[in-house]
C-alpha cells in the first residue's frame, strides 16, 4: 500500500462526480485443469434493516486530495456512505461522491478499512513503524460530520494496540542484538513482517457461520534472499470486548493497550509478495476470503496478485515452510481456482493493473467495489484520486473481476 511517513498538509476540497445507478449479475467459469469445481454460492444472513438500503451506483468518486494514495475503502450501505483511506487522511462521502466529512492529522500509515456491522464503526490498520507501534484505528462514522476533523484532538478515533504484530516486527532473527528498523534488507522481522495492512470482518476460518471476528493481515517485506517470508500471516481477534482496550490516538505518547493474545494465527502459502496483503475482504456470497497484493519478485513463484482462501475448508496444523527452525502452525488452504502453479502448489490470479490492491469491498452478492487510484494536477499541486467502481466476480483469468457497464 505504499508506506508514506510524515504528515502531509491535507486539502479539503474534492472533485465529485455524478454516479450512475447500475446492477450486475455474476457468471461462473470453469476452474483450470486439476482444480476443484467452484462451490455453489450461498447468501449469509444480515441484520434486519431499519429502512430500505439505498440503490448502489456503478461508481463513487472519492475526490482529489493532497495526501498519500488510496489504501482501502469501506461502505455503510444502510446509512449511504463510503469511506476512503488515503494513507494519512480518511474521507467520508455519500453514495453520489459528495464529501461530507474527513479526518486529518495522521502521521502514520492508515491502510485498509472495513465496517463492523455490529457496532457500525469503521476499523482500519494504522502503523507507526519508527515508534514500533501498530494499531487498529476505530473511527465513529456518525461523528465524522465536517471536513478537516483532527484525528487526535476530536473524539472520532480510538485505537487498540496489537502486541503480536509488534513482537514479530521487532524480532531479532539473526541474533545480533540489533533491531534493523524499517527495511526488508535484513534477516530480522519474523516471517518478514513489515507491519499490517489488510483488515476484514468475517467468521472464524473454516466455519462459515462461525462467530464474526476481525482478521488482520501482515505486511510482508519483499526479500528474495530468505525462505521464511513466503506466507501471508493473518491474525483473528474477537473484538466484542475491545472497548476496555480502546484509547484516544496520541502520536506523541503511543499507548500499548490491547489484547495480550490473538484468537488465532494462520498462515497461507502464496510465495513472497511486496508488502503482503494490501486489501483483505471476506465475501459472504461465496464464503471465501480474498487477498489482494502487489506482485512479488521471488524467482520460482508465479507471483500472483490476487489469492483466495477457501472458506469451506478448515485450517490444518502443519509445518510452516522455510523457517530457520522447524515450526508448526495453522495453515489456510487456498481456493483451488484461477491459475495453478504445480511446482509450488499455489493458486491465484495474475491480475494486471489495479484490481483490489488499493481498495476492495464485497457486497456479498457476487459484486464488489474495486478502487481505481490516480493523480491529478491542481494549480501545480499533485493530488491523489480514488474511484470505487462496481464489478462482478467471474473467477476468470487473468482477472476474476468484470466491470459493470
Amino acid at each position: 500500500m505504499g508506506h508514506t511517513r510524515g504528515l502531509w498538509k491535507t486539502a479539503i476540497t474534492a472533485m465529485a462526480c455524478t454516479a450512475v445507478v447500475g446492477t450486475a449479475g455474476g457468471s461462473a467459469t470453469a476452474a483450470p485443469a486439476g482444480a476443484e469445481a467452484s462451490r455453489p454460492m450461498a447468501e449469509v444472513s444480515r441484520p434486519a434493516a431499519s429502512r430500505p438500503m439505498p440503490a448502489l451506483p456503478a461508481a463513487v468518486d472519492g475526490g482529489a486530495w493532497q495526501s498519500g494514495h488510496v489504501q482501502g475503502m469501506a461502505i455503510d450501505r444502510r446509512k449511504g456512505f463510503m469511506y476512503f483511506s488515503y494513507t494519512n487522511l480518511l474521507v467520508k462521502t455519500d453514495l453520489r461522491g459528495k464529501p461530507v466529512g474527513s479526518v486529518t492529522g495522521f502521521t502514520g500509515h492508515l491502510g485498509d478499512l472495513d465496517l463492523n456491522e455490529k457496532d457500525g464503526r469503521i476499523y482500519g490498520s494504522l502503523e507507526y513503524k519508527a515508534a514500533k507501534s501498530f494499531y487498529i484505528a476505530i473511527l465513529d462514522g456518525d461523528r465524522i460530520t465536517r471536513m478537516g476533523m483532527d484525528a487526535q484532538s476530536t473524539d472520532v478515533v480510538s485505537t487498540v494496540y496489537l502486541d503480536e504484530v509488534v513482537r514479530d516486527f521487532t524480532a531479532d532473527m539473526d541474533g545480533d542484538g540489533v533491531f534493523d528498523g524499517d527495511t526488508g534488507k535484513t534477516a530480522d522481522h519474523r516471517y518478514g513482517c513489515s507491519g499490517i495492512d489488510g483488515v476484514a470482518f468475517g467468521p472464524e476460518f473454516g466455519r462459515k457461520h462461525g462467530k464474526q471476528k476481525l482478521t488482520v493481515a501482515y505486511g510482508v517485506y519483499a526479500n528474495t534472499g530468505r525462505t521464511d517470508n513466503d506466507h501471508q500471516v493473518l491474525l483473528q481477534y474477537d473484538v466484542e470486548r475491545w472497548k476496555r482496550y480502546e484509547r484516544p490516538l496520541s502520536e506523541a505518547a503511543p499507548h500499548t493497550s490491547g489484547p495480550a493474545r490473538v484468537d488465532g494465527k494462520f498462515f497461507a502459502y502464496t510465495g513472497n509478495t511486496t508488502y503482503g496483503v494490501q486489501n483483505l475482504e471476506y465475501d459472504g456470497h461465496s464464503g471465501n476470503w480474498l487477498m489482494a497484493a502487489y506482485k512479488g519478485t521471488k524467482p520460482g513463484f508465479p507471483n500472483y496478485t490476487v489469492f483466495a482462501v477457501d472458506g469451506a475448508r478448515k485450517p490444518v496444523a502443519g509445518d510452516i515452510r522455510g523457517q530457520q527452525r522447524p515450526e508448526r502452525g495453522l495453515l489456510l488452504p487456498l481456493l483451488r481456482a484461477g491459475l495453478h502453479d504445480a511446482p509450488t502448489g499455489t493458486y491465484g490470479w495474475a491480475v494486471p493493473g489495479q484490481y483490489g490492491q488499493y481498495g476492495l469491498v464485497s457486497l456479498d452478492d457476487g459484486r464488489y467495489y474495486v478502487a481505481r487510484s490516480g493523480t491529478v494536477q491542481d494549480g501545480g499541486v499533485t493530488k491523489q484520486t480514488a474511484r470505487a467502481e462496481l464489478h462482478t466476480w467471474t473467477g476468470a483469468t487473468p482477472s476474476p473481476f468484470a466491470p459493470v457497464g
Side-chain angles (χ1 to χ4, degrees):
M1 280 194 175
H3 288 251
T4 305
R5 302 169 190 83
L7 176 61
W8 298 355
K9 183 178 178 182
T10 305
I12 60 171
T13 55
M15 293 165 40
C17 72
T18 301
V20 180
V21 175
T23 59
S27 60
T29 57
E36 292 179 350
S38 299
R39 298 190 312 275
M41 299 291 190
E43 297 291 346
V44 293
S45 60
R46 293 288 176 189
S50 57
R51 57 189 174 87
M53 290 188 189
L56 291 174
V60 180
D61 198 307
W65 311 92
Q66 190 177 348
S67 61
H69 74 74
V70 63
Q71 304 287 332
M73 309 182 301
I75 189 171
D76 188 332
R77 294 180 66 178
R78 300 190 185 285
K79 296 179 180 177
F81 297 111
M82 185 79 81
Y83 296 85
F84 298 85
S85 62
Y86 289 87
T87 311
N88 54 14
L89 164 72
L90 181 119
V91 175
K92 174 183 178 182
T93 74
D94 64 21
L95 296 185
R96 294 175 297 176
K98 177 183 177 182
V100 297
S102 67
V103 182
T104 68
F106 296 102
T107 64
H109 178 281
L110 181 65
D112 190 17
L113 305 173
D114 202 11
L115 172 73
N116 181 357
E117 293 188 352
K118 286 192 174 182
D119 66 17
R121 297 186 295 174
I122 306 300
Y123 289 58
S125 58
L126 182 59
E127 301 183 315
Y128 293 92
K129 294 188 180 186
K132 303 176 186 176
S133 296
F134 299 93
Y135 298 99
I136 292 299
I138 304 171
L139 299 109
D140 190 336
D142 290 342
R143 295 182 178 181
I144 303 174
T145 56
R146 55 184 171 82
M147 305 305 292
M149 300 182 73
D150 184 73
Q152 297 184 74
S153 62
T154 60
D155 59 356
V156 298
V157 182
S158 60
T159 53
V160 174
Y161 180 82
L162 301 183
D163 182 68
E164 183 78 10
V165 181
V166 175
R167 286 192 284 114
D168 283 346
F169 175 72
T170 59
D172 179 16
M173 302 301 291
D174 57 12
D176 64 359
V178 177
F179 173 64
D180 292 337
D182 180 15
T183 176
K185 298 179 180 179
T186 174
D188 284 350
H189 312 295
R190 187 176 288 111
Y191 314 119
C193 175
S194 70
I196 54 175
D197 262 315
V199 297
F201 282 94
E204 300 167 271
F205 284 122
R207 299 182 62 185
K208 184 170 184 179
H209 301 292
K211 185 171 185 178
Q212 293 291 300
K213 293 186 176 180
L214 174 66
T215 303
V216 181
Y218 278 13
V220 178
Y221 288 111
N223 185 327
T224 61
R226 56 194 292 184
T227 62
D228 59 350
N229 59 352
D230 291 332
H231 292 81
Q232 304 303 332
V233 183
L234 298 100
L235 310 178
Q236 284 201 319
Y237 294 94
D238 184 351
V239 302
E240 196 171 77
R241 298 182 180 179
W242 266 24
K243 278 284 188 182
R244 57 183 166 171
Y245 301 127
E246 292 182 32
R247 301 290 184 273
L249 175 63
S250 174
E251 296 180 342
H255 72 82
T256 58
S257 176
R261 296 181 300 276
V262 300
D263 291 308
K265 189 171 188 175
F266 306 88
F267 301 84
Y269 188 71
T270 62
N272 184 231
T273 52
T274 301
Y275 285 122
V277 177
Q278 298 297 294
N279 267 248
L280 177 70
E281 189 71 0
Y282 176 72
D283 176 40
H285 189 61
S286 66
N288 298 322
W289 296 79
L290 291 188
M291 303 183 295
Y294 296 142
K295 186 176 181 178
T297 57
K298 186 175 284 190
F301 284 94
N303 295 315
Y304 301 137
T305 56
V306 173
F307 305 89
V309 171
D310 190 337
R313 297 165 62 196
K314 293 183 178 181
V316 296
D319 294 330
I320 305 173
R321 289 185 252 183
Q323 302 309 301
Q324 295 179 12
R325 299 181 181 86
E327 183 178 347
R328 290 177 66 80
L330 291 172
L331 309 180
L332 293 172
L334 295 179
L335 183 68
R336 296 178 181 178
L339 299 173
H340 179 217
D341 182 64
T344 61
T346 57
Y347 291 83
W349 289 265
V351 185
Q354 301 179 17
Y355 280 95
Q357 296 87 351
Y358 298 98
L360 189 63
V361 175
S362 170
L363 299 174
D364 295 330
D365 61 4
R367 297 179 299 167
Y368 290 80
Y369 275 117
V370 178
R372 181 69 53 187
S373 176
T375 59
V376 295
Q377 295 295 315
D378 183 5
V381 175
T382 299
K383 294 183 177 181
Q384 300 288 331
T385 66
R387 181 178 168 89
E389 299 177 346
L390 198 61
H391 288 65
T392 58
W393 176 267
T394 67
T397 59
S399 175
F401 298 104
V404 173

